[in-house]
Amino acid sequence: MRSDTVTKGKQQAPHRSLMNALGMTKEEMERPLVGIVSSYNEIVPGHMNLDKIVNAVKQGVAMAGGTPIVFPAIAVCDGIAMGHIGMKYSLVTRDLIADSTEAMALAHQFDALVMVPNCDKNVPGLLMAAARINIPTIFVSGGPMLAGRVGGAKRSLSSIFEAVGANAAGTLSDEGLLEFENKVCPTCGSCSGMYTANSMNCLTEVLGMGLRGNGTIPAVYSERIRLAKHAGMKVMELWEKNICPRDIMTEKAVLNALTVDMALGCSTNSMLHLPAIAHEIGMDFEIDFANGISERTPNLCHLAPAGPTHMEDLNEAGGVYAVMNELNKLGLLHTDCMTVTGKTVGENIKDAVNLNPEVIRPVENPYSKTGGLAVLKGNLAPDGSVVKRSAVVPEMQVHEGPARVFDCEEDAIEAIKGGKIVAGDVVVIRYEGPKGGPGMREMLNPTSAIAGMGLGSSVALITDGRFSGASRGASIGHVSPEAAVGGPIALVEEGDIIRINIPEYRLELDVSEEELARRKEQWKPRSPKVKTGYLARYAALVTSGNRGAILEVPGTGK
Ligand SMILES: CC(C)(O)[C@@H](O)C(=O)O
Ligand SMILES: [Mg+2]
């Protein structure tokens, strides 16, 4: 066993004495040591129940003959971090979570791992760590929040952000806003739409790293406790068979995840996290892969913010496996991939029935023939940009309008709320990229203000930052290269015409090559917004959005 390094032999007497200090018995030391990575804390609603999940995992591991040992991972609530300096500290935690888990797992020589994440950065951060450490590992998340009820309709986090915009526009009273505030987040769990956390928890199931229901069983259901116990038992089976993450998260599994992403209508952040996970398994991942997959994959789900359904509805309808089974009818999945069930994808999904054709449209009757995401390229984004096209109204799929340029999120918000943005405008928010932000903030306040003020069908937003899964509208993010490194987005001037053509995957600035070359000559890099601490170190190492904002070892290109 890997843990023999710390438990067996005379040289290990000091190690065993320290384990004695933990209260660990000889019998416990002789069993496989299973690290349980707990993302529990008291500030993230999606994580406040993870102590219960972790306890259930411990019981499962112990029942199956392992010794469970808990250690922590940090976690940020993107909702609470939204719209201020806190959001610069969100994406950057993904890599802290991956790196710190690598450090803990290898420092203590665990035999296997159970990852217990839930919200936006913990799921991808721990998937990256799992691929990197590559010892038998299973995931069990905390589960989604139930939807709230406002005026008889199911509502969630995107509606409260948009309610703020409606209130600013005078179409929603202060009492109305307060009602949203009090009702949209009724339980613990990851916010109830197909936002980033739930996107990544569902894709964990597709990647084969979580058991059935990992993405959709609500946080407050006792079924989730049972799922956690099963995950604890299952990791011991994976250990016995030595099935490791890189046997499961193969290139084909990543392509399956991208495919199901298209059908579910996942968050644009999946297009940062999948390339980063792919990087950990040594896969070359060009983001425009996504378009080929998007072309042939129908969009089957319109969960919030794209439509009125929520994670609890997807769960009732049969969950992720039912969506996969639909896609399998078109032969779109690699069914031979191994999973943590010890079975292949094909074996896992064969009996999954779609129980609600309104929540999961059958492949014969999709919301659209093409998938949820698209990658746009052109002279404004030579290395690519990402849009959730399933959340863009038909009249904005092709749009042309004057650039309204802002060098940070706060300035854009002020202009939108101050009524300075009008129908037709293309709002450009730059110097918010991975290096420039630093930390590539989510622009949920600007997109919600646009939607809430009734401009969602006439105004587009382009940024080298990123979006929340709760953002909707013609919101094009991850524009690469970013402004801070002199990407063309830095050269846009107020009033330049920008052309967006989603069906043709184009994003163009209507300025001649000569003029752009002239502007480039004059462009000078700005002094970094943050000069000390983790953000400064992060900015020095981070790559661009199209590469998943991975951290590169300087000089290696890796
Ligand atoms: C706050 C949210 C909903 O988690 C957002 O940050 C997202 O990415 O979906
Ligand atoms: Mg987020």
Side-chain angles (χ1 to χ4, degrees):
M1 292 197 297
R2 201 182 182 85
S3 59
D4 289 354
T5 322
V6 292
T7 56
K8 301 240 160 68
K10 271 197 191 156
Q11 192 59 54
Q12 278 63 28
H15 306 67
R16 283 191 299 274
S17 68
L18 289 162
M19 292 193 181
N20 285 337
L22 290 170
M24 205 184 270
T25 63
K26 186 167 168 293
E27 292 78 4
E28 284 174 297
M29 283 181 227
E30 280 166 359
R31 294 175 171 206
L33 303 186
V34 180
I36 302 175
V37 185
S38 167
S39 311
Y40 169 76
N41 67 33
E42 292 185 347
I43 185 64
V44 183
H47 290 219
M48 62 188 273
N49 63 323
L50 294 185
D51 53 341
K52 314 278 183 307
I53 303 291
V54 164
N55 267 335
V57 171
K58 285 173 81 173
Q59 289 175 35
V61 168
M63 273 178 70
T67 298
I69 301 171
V70 180
F71 65 89
I74 60 162
V76 163
C77 174
D78 272 22
I80 299 175
M82 194 68 68
H84 53 93
I85 187 184
M87 186 40 79
K88 297 187 188 214
Y89 283 97
S90 160
L91 179 62
V92 304
T93 64
R94 181 189 72 184
D95 302 84
L96 279 180
I97 291 162
D99 292 353
S100 57
T101 302
E102 173 195 345
M104 285 297 283
L106 296 180
H108 303 100
Q109 293 292 299
F110 288 106
D111 294 295
L113 294 169
V114 182
M115 306 295 200
V116 186
N118 207 28
C119 286
D120 297 16
K121 304 309 164 309
N122 291 67
V123 187
L126 291 179
L127 285 166
M128 289 161 72
R132 199 183 294 170
I133 302 162
N134 204 35
I135 59 176
T137 301
I138 195 167
F139 277 65
V140 56
S141 301
M145 188 184 281
L146 293 180
R149 305 288 193 282
V150 182
K154 285 188 187 176
R155 299 293 193 155
S156 56
L157 195 75
S158 48
S159 43
I160 176 74
F161 273 94
E162 291 182 18
V164 174
N167 180 257
T171 54
L172 179 72
S173 67
D174 288 355
E175 295 72 43
L177 180 60
L178 187 62
E179 195 184 355
F180 275 94
E181 182 179 320
N182 287 335
K183 292 185 172 168
V184 291
C185 292
T187 71
C188 64
S190 42
C191 295
S192 55
M194 189 50 85
Y195 309 140
T196 307
N198 295 325
S199 296
M200 294 311 298
N201 283 322
C202 288
L203 296 185
T204 300
E205 241 178 280
V206 183
L207 283 167
M209 292 300 294
L211 297 175
R212 181 176 193 176
N214 177 66
T216 59
I217 299 169
V220 293
Y221 281 18
S222 305
E223 194 183 352
R224 185 152 289 273
I225 302 289
R226 296 201 297 274
L227 182 78
K229 287 182 184 164
H230 281 133
M233 290 184 245
K234 207 70 191 178
V235 78
M236 293 307 297
E237 196 180 312
L238 293 172
W239 175 78
E240 270 149 32
K241 296 182 180 158
N242 196 29
I243 299 176
C244 294
R246 273 187 254 145
D247 302 325
I248 295 173
M249 286 192 279
T250 57
E251 292 200 11
K252 282 182 181 176
V254 172
L255 296 176
N256 279 348
L258 251 182
T259 303
V260 180
D261 184 328
M262 298 298 168
L264 287 172
C266 287
S267 162
T268 45
N269 281 315
S270 61
M271 287 302 289
L272 276 179
H273 302 323
L274 287 176
I277 293 160
H279 177 76
E280 298 288 347
I281 63 162
M283 173 181 180
D284 279 329
F285 188 105
E286 293 293 333
I287 56 168
D288 33 354
F289 274 2
N291 289 344
I293 292 179
S294 195
E295 284 288 313
R296 55 178 186 268
T297 310
N299 177 237
L300 304 180
C301 300
H302 266 192
L303 273 70
T309 54
H310 294 80
M311 293 305 293
E312 62 203 50
D313 304 308
L314 180 60
N315 189 54
E316 298 304 317
V320 175
Y321 276 17
V323 175
M324 291 172 80
N325 210 3
E326 283 293 341
L327 295 175
N328 201 30
K329 292 178 192 163
L330 300 178
L332 292 173
L333 295 176
H334 298 285
T335 49
D336 55 340
C337 294
M338 181 43 61
T339 73
V340 288
T341 63
K343 296 187 183 138
T344 63
V345 165
E347 289 168 320
N348 285 344
I349 65 172
K350 69 176 187 315
D351 301 321
V353 182
N354 178 359
L355 298 168
N356 187 337
E358 269 318 297
V359 179
I360 305 172
R361 290 276 186 94
V363 279
E364 306 80 43
N365 178 33
Y367 280 103
S368 58
K369 289 212 167 86
T370 52
L373 299 179
V375 172
L376 312 187
K377 280 191 170 176
N379 68 349
L380 188 48
D383 293 340
S385 63
V386 179
V387 60
K388 193 192 234 189
R389 66 165 142 191
S390 57
V392 180
V393 292
E395 54 271 40
M396 291 300 285
Q397 297 277 338
V398 178
H399 179 79
E400 177 174 325
R404 306 297 311 279
V405 184
F406 304 94
D407 286 351
C408 67
E409 179 190 1
E410 287 78 2
D411 292 353
I413 283 281
E414 204 183 303
I416 298 165
K417 288 208 174 147
K420 302 213 170 74
I421 300 300
V422 298
D425 284 350
V426 180
V427 176
V428 176
I429 308 179
R430 63 190 180 187
Y431 294 99
E432 288 283 5
K435 272 187 194 297
M440 211 182 178
R441 285 195 286 182
E442 284 184 355
M443 301 293 155
L444 179 57
N445 276 340
T447 58
S448 303
I450 288 171
M453 294 181 76
L455 295 168
S457 333
S458 57
V459 168
L461 193 156
I462 292 176
T463 181
D464 52 8
R466 61 196 177 97
F467 297 110
S468 155
S471 291
R472 61 190 175 115
S475 309
I476 300 165
H478 312 193
V479 168
S480 304
E482 62 175 298
V485 299
I489 191 171
L491 310 178
V492 181
E493 289 179 3
E494 187 77 5
D496 285 349
I497 296 299
I498 291 177
R499 293 207 188 98
I500 300 162
N501 191 326
I502 297 175
E504 289 181 10
Y505 306 110
R506 305 296 303 164
L507 181 62
E508 308 278 359
L509 182 64
D510 191 12
V511 172
S512 70
E513 268 180 44
E514 299 73 48
E515 172 61 12
L516 280 178
R518 192 190 64 76
R519 291 184 193 175
K520 180 87 204 218
E521 283 276 280
Q522 283 170 1
W523 180 83
K524 287 193 189 64
R526 300 188 174 185
S527 108
K529 288 185 198 155
V530 183
K531 296 192 180 68
T532 55
Y534 178 52
L535 287 185
R537 278 202 301 283
Y538 179 87
L541 297 180
V542 73
T543 58
S544 70
N546 67 300
R547 294 187 57 200
I550 55 166
L551 300 184
E552 198 170 76
V553 182
T556 64
K558 286 192 183 129

